Amino acid sequence: MADVLLGIDLGGTRIKTAVVSTEKEIRARDVRETPAKEGVDAVANAMAASARAALEEAGADRALAAGVGAPGPMNWQTGVVYSPPNLRGWKDVPLAELMRERLGIPCFVDNDANLACYGEFWKGAGQGVDSMCMLTLGTGVGGGIIVFGRLLRGIDGTAAEIGHMTVQRDGRPCGCGAKGCLEQYGSVTGMVKTAKEGLEAGKESSLRAVCADDPRRITGRMISEEAARGDAFARWVIQETGDWLGVGISSLINLLNPEKVVLGGGMISAGDLLFDAVRKRSRSDAFDVPAERAQIVPAELGDDAGVTGAAGAAWDRLCEERQR
Ligand SMILES: [Zn+2]
């Protein structure tokens, strides 16, 4: 059995674990519910149980290290999670230490969006590059930035909140308290909002029949499905979403001159309809040289990005610690 690492993704509803070899192969997985209502210790116990189950399935006695991706702000160096938005009652939880006690191996905690980016960099669409950005398009827009082959974290570890770049002054209100953030337009939630606004303004679309003429029922899936069936308005909604993303991405391209911009999340199944709009806007708004350089490409790891990145980042941090 080759040396293996644990990658654990702690979500508000699910704990996902993978055993990943140092050759970047996933050897086993475990998924279970997050006992969020039972408190911090119950969640840590469930994560440890998930890790042990995955190790057993992989036929491994122990892992070299574990990486844990958690939502929200945290101190990635100490592994203290401040107050994750989807884990109520959590306040300044020393998650790395709790996992170290339970697993008996080095444990590293990091922001989940950063780790998804690291996963694509380590094994996926960004393999071999020196600089890249990743946007995960879901309920919000998760962000990660790699420069000089490392995650850009900022002095407090809060960097790369790409979803909260302002793209519209006094625009749609955002959960962060500001207005006009990219994720209010470029996330699935933002796309649904764009569709609702259009239908309420009287646009004709097959979406009306699908949602029984109640725009509040619209989902991202309905928009994708109607667009695939050729509905002009649904297609416009996806292109408009891509256009907003392109506005934000053109700023990233001008700021960072990255080799790749990787887009992940369920929305990327819209394919060229989305990507062509993103590319068109980024090329027209960014400077020519970095705009031509930056390849805007779909993520390759899907749901595995988070656990893969957690394992890969833990491996790299372990190697760095050994060198000190
Ligand atoms: Zn915001």
Side-chain angles (χ1 to χ4, degrees):
M1 186 73 199
D3 288 339
V4 295
L5 304 146
L6 281 161
I8 304 172
D9 185 61
L10 171 59
T13 54
R14 283 190 309 168
I15 294 164
K16 286 188 276 181
T17 302
V19 174
V20 184
S21 74
T22 51
E23 277 80 45
K24 310 185 185 184
E25 294 304 323
I26 292 185
R27 296 292 170 84
R29 297 167 212 267
D30 182 82
V31 180
R32 58 186 68 201
E33 264 177 47
T34 307
K37 288 182 186 148
E38 293 166 41
V40 172
D41 279 323
V43 172
N45 288 341
M47 289 165 72
S50 177
R52 286 187 206 106
L55 280 172
E56 192 181 330
E57 198 193 317
D61 300 333
R62 67 195 295 276
L64 295 169
V68 178
M74 67 184 62
N75 184 326
W76 65 277
Q77 282 159 310
T78 59
V80 173
V81 176
Y82 299 140
S83 54
N86 52 4
L87 291 164
R88 274 205 197 143
W90 281 43
K91 181 114 182 53
D92 299 339
V93 172
L95 190 56
E97 194 183 312
L98 293 176
M99 293 312 293
R100 212 174 294 135
E101 285 168 9
R102 284 164 174 76
L103 297 175
I105 54 175
C107 294
F108 305 97
V109 175
D110 226 317
N111 174 274
D112 52 5
N114 275 351
L115 290 180
C117 177
Y118 201 82
E120 291 291 338
F121 167 73
W122 196 56
K123 187 188 170 178
Q127 225 178 346
V129 306
D130 194 50
S131 59
M132 65 174 266
C133 309
M134 172 148 176
L135 289 78
T136 304
L137 313 175
T139 316
V141 172
I145 295 172
I146 304 263
V147 282
F148 307 122
R150 300 170 70 94
L151 280 167
L152 176 76
R153 302 174 183 277
I155 187 69
D156 294 309
T158 69
E161 287 289 353
I162 296 172
H164 298 281
M165 292 198 314
T166 304
V167 291
Q168 174 75 55
R169 187 180 75 168
D170 293 329
R172 292 176 183 167
C174 183
C176 74
K179 285 181 178 173
C181 293
L182 179 60
E183 78 171 28
Q184 293 307 318
Y185 303 88
S187 63
V188 176
T189 317
M191 179 172 76
V192 166
K193 194 156 194 183
T194 300
K196 278 183 197 163
E197 285 178 0
L199 293 178
E200 279 160 8
K203 296 275 190 236
E204 271 318 307
S205 167
S206 57
L207 277 168
R208 286 195 185 280
V210 175
C211 72
D213 223 4
D214 181 358
R216 286 171 304 179
R217 289 190 182 170
I218 288 181
T219 63
R221 181 183 291 254
M222 286 179 191
I223 297 167
S224 305
E225 285 174 359
E226 292 315 299
R229 291 197 184 106
D231 180 67
F233 174 73
R235 288 175 62 84
W236 174 84
V237 169
I238 290 176
Q239 287 170 324
E240 181 74 357
T241 304
D243 196 57
W244 279 112
L245 287 165
V247 170
I249 288 170
S250 67
S251 291
L252 289 174
I253 288 173
N254 281 345
L255 278 171
L256 301 164
N257 187 196
E259 290 170 73
K260 282 196 179 172
V261 178
V262 178
L263 304 186
M267 205 203 289
I268 66 171
S269 63
D272 286 346
L273 189 61
L274 178 75
F275 277 82
D276 287 350
V278 176
R279 291 181 186 123
K280 188 174 166 202
R281 170 62 72 172
S282 325
R283 291 229 171 92
S284 74
D285 284 13
F287 285 113
D288 289 346
V289 170
E292 268 169 40
R293 168 69 63 183
Q295 294 178 51
I296 300 172
V297 297
E300 291 176 1
L301 303 182
D303 263 359
D304 285 337
V307 287
T308 304
W315 174 229
D316 287 355
R317 285 173 72 174
L318 186 70
C319 294
E320 265 175 37
E321 282 192 357
R322 281 174 177 171
Q323 279 165 11
R324 276 206 206 111

